[in-house]
Amino acid sequence: MISEEKKIIRVGVMGTAAIAKKNALAISRSSRVELVGVASRTMEKAEAWVKELGLSNIRCFEGYEALVNANDVDAVYVPLPTTYHLEWVLKLARKKKNILIEKPVGTTLAQVEEMIQVCREQGVVIMDGTMFFHHPRFLAMKRFFDDKLHWHPKRVTSAFSFYGGNNFLDKGNIRTRKDADPLGCLGDVGWYCIRIGLAVNHIYIKFL
């Protein structure tokens, strides 16, 4: 349920991953949502994360279960490794919390379908964190995609790359670990290539 008193969405962050820092700051600056807490496996790590970002009036939760059970949280942003998604999405949904989840959503189609089904049953929203669909540049491109009179795509070629450096491999980034993100680069950056290819062909994914 969304807070009726403030009429804004109260958001918690599950995990202190690097990607969560940027999004937590964005949430804290929004007038539509309120960042109310962050959960980590240890209280010390959660407190250090909040201090590093210079955030104030943010609750720190020790353990993810504490955030799941918090009564003052309407939605949760989940930047955990993909292998953890199914477990925590189901727990959050069953506590009536809306979910913004990092991509890839799951490690298999069956996992994603189960998440969607449980969220539907519980009446909550699940949304994947694919930012570019909400960017003005993509909305301008979409006008061309949707012009079926003049737009007839025959082939889509897309690429996404970045320089990870030695630290990316040597220090065990989660995208290089089968126990964390078994889909590797395909699930991480390939997600964008697949989604733009679908959009060019007027296929837009809507979980709920």
Side-chain angles (χ1 to χ4, degrees), residues 145 151-159 193-194 196-202:
F145 299 161
W151 177 263
H152 302 285
K154 302 295 184 182
R155 177 180 178 181
V156 179
T157 301
S158 63
C193 298
I194 294 169
I196 195 68
L198 292 173
V200 167
N201 288 281
H202 315 110

Side-chain angles (χ1 to χ4, degrees), residues 132-133 135-158 192-204:
F132 77 84
F133 275 102
H135 194 283
R137 183 178 297 172
F138 176 79
L139 297 179
M141 292 168 58
K142 186 175 182 295
R143 290 200 296 270
F144 291 101
F145 299 161
D146 292 343
D147 181 5
K148 296 182 181 181
L149 179 62
H150 302 98
W151 177 263
H152 302 285
K154 302 295 184 182
R155 177 180 178 181
V156 179
T157 301
S158 63
Y192 297 104
C193 298
I194 294 169
R195 292 293 290 273
I196 195 68
L198 292 173
V200 167
N201 288 281
H202 315 110
I203 301 171
Y204 299 99

Side-chain angles (χ1 to χ4, degrees), residues 20-113:
K21 294 178 182 178
K22 180 187 295 185
N23 290 331
L25 288 173
I27 292 169
S28 70
R29 293 166 182 164
S30 173
S31 61
R32 297 183 179 183
V33 297
E34 177 187 7
L35 182 62
V36 297
V38 59
S40 186
R41 286 171 291 182
T42 67
M43 181 62 74
E44 291 78 13
K45 193 170 183 179
E47 291 174 343
W49 192 83
V50 169
K51 183 178 179 180
E52 179 186 348
L53 295 182
L55 299 173
S56 59
N57 301 317
I58 304 298
R59 291 175 62 193
C60 292
F61 297 89
E62 184 169 24
Y64 303 145
E65 289 283 0
L67 179 59
V68 170
N69 293 318
N71 293 324
D72 60 342
V73 175
D74 305 308
V76 175
Y77 167 51
V78 183
L80 299 176
T82 313
T83 50
Y84 298 164
H85 286 185
L86 179 63
E87 174 187 358
W88 292 105
V89 165
L90 299 188
K91 288 182 177 180
L92 288 166
R94 288 168 178 149
K95 287 292 184 175
K96 304 297 184 183
K97 289 179 171 54
N98 300 290
I99 301 152
L100 173 62
I101 190 162
E102 273 299 334
K103 48 76 190 164
V105 175
T107 61
T108 66
L109 175 60
Q111 282 191 0
V112 177
E113 289 177 334

Side-chain angles (χ1 to χ4, degrees), residues 119-131:
C119 286
R120 283 177 174 159
E121 292 171 354
Q122 298 299 321
V124 298
V125 172
I126 180 172
M127 179 177 171
D128 74 295
T130 306
M131 181 203 70

